[in-house]
Each structure stands twice: as structure tokens, then as C-alpha cells.
Amino acid sequence: MSNWEKSLSDAVKQVPPSGIRKFFDVAAKMDDVITLGIGEPDFVTPWHIRESCVYGLEKGYTSYSTNKGMPLLRQEIAALYKRTYKINYDPAEEIIVTVGVSEAVDLALRAILNPGDEVLIPEPCYVSYKACVILAGGTPIPVPTSVEKEFRVTADDLEKYVTAKTKVLLIGYPNNPTGTILTTDELRGIAAFAQKHDLIVLSDEIYGDLTYGGLEHICFSSLPGMKDRTILFNGFSKAYAMTGWRLGYALANPVFIEAMNKIHQYTMLCAPVTAQVAGIEALQNGEGNMHKMINEYDRRRHFIYEGFCHMGLKTFEPKGAFYIFPNIESTGMTSEEFVEKLLEREHVAVIPGNAFGECGEGFIRCSYATSIDKIAGALNRIENFLKNI
Ligand code: PLP
């Protein structure tokens, strides 16, 4: 260890390196790789949204906005939640616009955690949650889920891990990496659990618009009694294909929003105004294009699901987000061995399931946010790989 490494903070030293990065680094040096690894839309942001940003620049939108975000954007977010989920959020006090959902999660955790506070995190889950909890001084408590229940978490699972130190439950459905969504009854069970133990619920609903087969997303805050104890996250990255714009938001009780804004005003000041102008256009006129993209993801979802079933890799049908989580235990390999060999022999990049928590071992995450042609090519290569092992 060099001297400088010793001088890093304990929190940073505790955060493990991302289980995703190293495979991307190898893949980046290879030719002819088909990647099902990346969790971002292959679509370019719809033109009318890009154009609104260009026009905004022409009109001189180049300065800071108020810390919590442009009032019109917050009004549009409030209108979206009223129209879609029948929940009222006050744009002045209950909404903060952030640099992606990433910043919102970080702000919320830093605003509420004290050293030693425990955060229940059902796994498999998005790779940032655990790291953000550690960086905020809290203790992440993974709650494993299993494929037998399609990785749905229940109140009974959570009960086994709750202690006197548990302060927060952090959930994300539709789920990255499994594509699992929860039913109203399951969510009600979790809500009763949160109430019983007086927990704050952080609900990452960034994939809320991406549900399929006629299943509607249920917003956690819309459950009886939950609005007041929930910090809800959403953003523009996935549904509007706007990952690079860095725009998200949180909805919560004014006490939480004010505390988050305290950190935000001294660290970020505000989300990029160029992106906020585009976000207004997305919410005012973006639904049509969003549904076209969702329909295309749905087509790819069927295609990739049938492809994995056809080649005999056990998988359940994902109902949300744009990921599928096939089981590779029948190959006798670990997730990492499978991913390394598949990349080396067939030049297909996927992510090992254990990167999302220990209970993801034996699985791989494949993203279908890429063209049908590329998915078809990847499936052929994976089938070939399976035949030759
Ligand atoms: N939450 C989940 C579950 C994600 O999968 C991602 C990105 O992959 C994010 C948050 C980050 O979103 P943003 O681009 O809004 O920071």
C-alpha cells in the first residue's frame, strides 16, 4: 500500500470495487464484442427534448436555478404524480430536482443516517445502494431473496434482519438486475412492516414506467400511510433515454426535502439548467415517444426470454425494467467464470449476478436495452458457448 492509500478515508476503503467495471475494462480492449452488459437505453433522447435544450440555450438558460430546481419543472413533476398515481406533492416543499437519481439516493442517505444506523437492502440490487450507505456512515444489511420467489422480497424475509438499529428500508422495483416487480399485496405487506418498525422507506422507482404485459407500476407512496415515511426517487435516465443529462428528483415530506437541500445547496447548487429545461419538455410532451420505446423494449423482452428458454437456460419472465436474469448453474461454472469465458470465447459481455449481492451467484444479468439484431447475435453466440463447454 502506498502512503497515499493509507491516507484515504475509512469509508472509502470499506467500499468494495464495482463488480461490473472490470468486465467492461476487458471488453473495451476486444474487437467485435456484443454487449448485453450496459444498463442504459440504446435510444438517443427524442429530438423534441434535445431541441428544447438547444432552444433553451438560445434563449439564455445558462445560469443556476433555485437549489431545489426550476419551479416549472417541479410543478410538472407534481402534476405527473397527481395524474398517474393520484398523490399530491407540493412543488414548493416536497420536491427536489437532483443530478440523477444517483444524487438523490446519496442526499437522502446522508440526510438521515447517523453512524451505526442500519439500512435493510433486499438483494440482488443496484450496485450503488450498499456503497452509498457506507459512504453516508450507515451499515448496509443485505436481505437475500431467492429465485424460487422470482427474487420478490416479503415482510417475512425482512423481519429476519430487523434490529433495534434498523432505521431505513431501501427498495428498488421494478428491479435492477432481476426485472422483478411486486404486486399490490406484496407492497402492502412491506408497508405494514415499515409501519410496525417505524422505518423510513427509500423507494427507487426509476424503472416505474417500464412495466410490461399490462401490469401497472404501483408507487410505494400511494399505499395508505406511506407517503409521509417514504422518500421516493425517479428520474429521466431510463424512461426518456436521458442518462447523460444527469437529471432526477426526490419526493418526500418537507423535513426530508429541506435536509436533502441543505447538502445539495453546498455540494451541487442545482441540477444542470440545460437538462432541467429538457426535463420540462419531456414531462409536457414526451409520453408518446416514451411509449414507443417501452413497446420496443417489450418486443425485445419477449425475444430474449424465448431465446434463453429455447437454449435451456432456466429463467423467469421479467416484468419490468430492461434486464433478464438467467440461471447458469447447470453449466457448473460460477457467475464470474461464466462471464469471463463467454467474453473470452464468444465476445459477448454480460454481468455476473453476484455483482448485485451474494444471492445473485449462479445468475447473469443481461440487458435488452439494445437492438434485436444485437440480441439475436448475442443469443446465437451464447448458445454456441453452451454447446462447446
Ligand atoms: N437506480 C437504479 C436502480 C439504476 O439502475 C440506476 C442506473 O442504472 C440509477 C438509479 C442511476 O440513475 P441516474 O442516471 O438517474 O443517476
Side-chain angles (χ1 to χ4, degrees):
M1 218 195 258
S2 79
N3 281 342
W4 291 124
E5 270 160 4
K6 267 192 250 158
S7 67
L8 299 177
S9 78
D10 292 341
V12 163
K13 280 188 264 182
Q14 256 189 69
V15 173
S18 162
I20 293 185
R21 204 61 274 151
K22 67 178 179 188
F23 295 98
F24 282 137
D25 292 345
V26 177
K29 292 189 194 119
M30 295 171 84
D31 289 332
D32 184 32
V33 172
I34 304 180
T35 180
L36 302 182
I38 299 172
E40 76 173 321
D42 59 322
F43 299 109
V44 174
T45 308
W47 169 243
H48 70 103
I49 298 175
R50 285 182 280 151
E51 188 181 37
S52 72
C53 172
V54 174
Y55 193 47
L57 283 169
E58 267 181 14
K59 287 201 287 190
Y61 281 103
T62 56
S63 43
Y64 298 131
S65 71
T66 49
N67 298 127
K68 284 188 204 160
M70 293 169 73
L72 181 56
L73 177 55
R74 283 183 279 143
Q75 279 162 27
E76 290 297 339
I77 294 166
L80 172 75
Y81 273 77
K82 187 163 188 164
R83 149 169 111 240
T84 317
Y85 302 112
K86 317 264 178 298
I87 324 172
N88 289 312
Y89 280 102
D90 175 356
E93 298 203 328
E94 296 183 313
I95 300 179
I96 184 169
V97 176
T98 55
V99 181
V101 167
S102 304
E103 193 213 353
V105 172
D106 180 45
L107 291 180
L109 290 168
R110 284 203 279 156
I112 58 183
L113 291 181
N114 286 311
D117 286 342
E118 294 181 356
V119 180
L120 297 178
I121 311 179
E123 286 187 341
C125 71
Y126 179 47
V127 290
S128 295
Y129 296 158
K130 238 194 220 167
C132 286
V133 170
I134 294 170
L135 291 171
T139 307
I141 305 292
V143 177
T145 58
S146 70
V147 71
E148 287 72 31
K149 286 191 275 176
E150 297 188 352
F151 297 104
R152 322 172 103 80
V153 70
T154 63
D156 288 345
D157 299 326
L158 293 165
E159 284 289 353
K160 291 183 207 142
Y161 293 87
V162 76
T163 73
K165 292 185 194 155
T166 312
K167 186 169 188 180
V168 177
L169 167 64
L170 171 47
I171 53 175
Y173 298 95
N175 182 263
N176 172 8
T178 60
T180 299
I181 64 174
L182 301 182
T183 63
T184 311
D185 281 351
E186 287 162 337
L187 287 165
R188 278 179 193 269
I190 294 171
F193 165 85
Q195 202 130 31
K196 177 177 164 197
H197 296 284
D198 197 19
L199 304 182
I200 302 164
V201 180
L202 268 50
S203 185
D204 179 354
E205 304 188 13
I206 193 167
Y207 295 102
D209 286 309
L210 306 184
T211 57
Y212 310 104
L215 292 167
E216 302 235 322
H217 175 65
I218 296 140
C219 175
F220 197 79
S221 311
S222 69
L223 299 170
M226 285 304 107
K227 184 188 163 204
D228 201 43
R229 63 172 68 248
T230 303
I231 306 181
L232 182 67
F233 309 116
N234 200 350
F236 295 78
S237 288
K238 313 292 172 169
Y240 296 97
M242 290 178 70
T243 49
W245 299 75
R246 311 309 304 125
L247 194 64
Y249 51 90
L251 310 169
N253 180 291
V255 172
F256 294 135
I257 295 296
E258 213 34 63
M260 290 165 69
N261 193 36
K262 228 185 206 178
I263 307 170
H264 176 74
Q265 74 190 357
Y266 291 126
T267 50
M268 292 296 160
L269 279 166
C270 64
V273 163
T274 42
Q276 293 191 52
V277 169
I280 292 169
E281 172 64 21
L283 293 184
Q284 286 178 339
N285 298 307
E287 225 169 276
N289 278 316
M290 180 178 83
H291 283 118
K292 277 189 206 151
M293 293 190 271
I294 294 172
N295 288 340
E296 179 56 21
Y297 293 136
D298 196 19
R299 194 168 78 94
R300 298 166 181 184
R301 180 181 73 99
H302 284 293
F303 186 77
I304 198 165
Y305 172 63
E306 278 154 24
F308 278 121
C309 292
H310 168 79
M311 69 178 84
L313 278 190
K314 265 201 300 189
T315 183
F316 61 91
E317 187 185 332
K319 301 284 172 32
F322 39 51
Y323 307 103
I324 187 163
F325 208 58
N327 184 295
I328 51 87
E329 281 167 322
S330 59
T331 64
M333 289 184 232
T334 65
S335 296
E336 296 210 359
E337 281 165 358
F338 185 97
V339 170
E340 268 167 36
K341 290 202 168 92
L342 179 65
L343 185 58
E344 184 187 299
R345 295 186 192 166
E346 296 290 339
H347 294 201
V348 174
V350 299
I351 308 288
N354 61 323
F356 307 95
E358 270 174 38
C359 61
E361 177 51 50
F363 297 82
I364 53 169
R365 187 195 78 173
C366 303
S367 157
Y368 49 88
T370 193
S371 70
I372 285 268
D373 285 352
K374 287 195 180 145
I375 295 171
L379 289 173
N380 280 338
R381 292 183 189 189
I382 296 172
E383 194 163 15
N384 205 35
F385 175 68
L386 294 176
K387 274 188 201 138
N388 292 321
I389 51 174

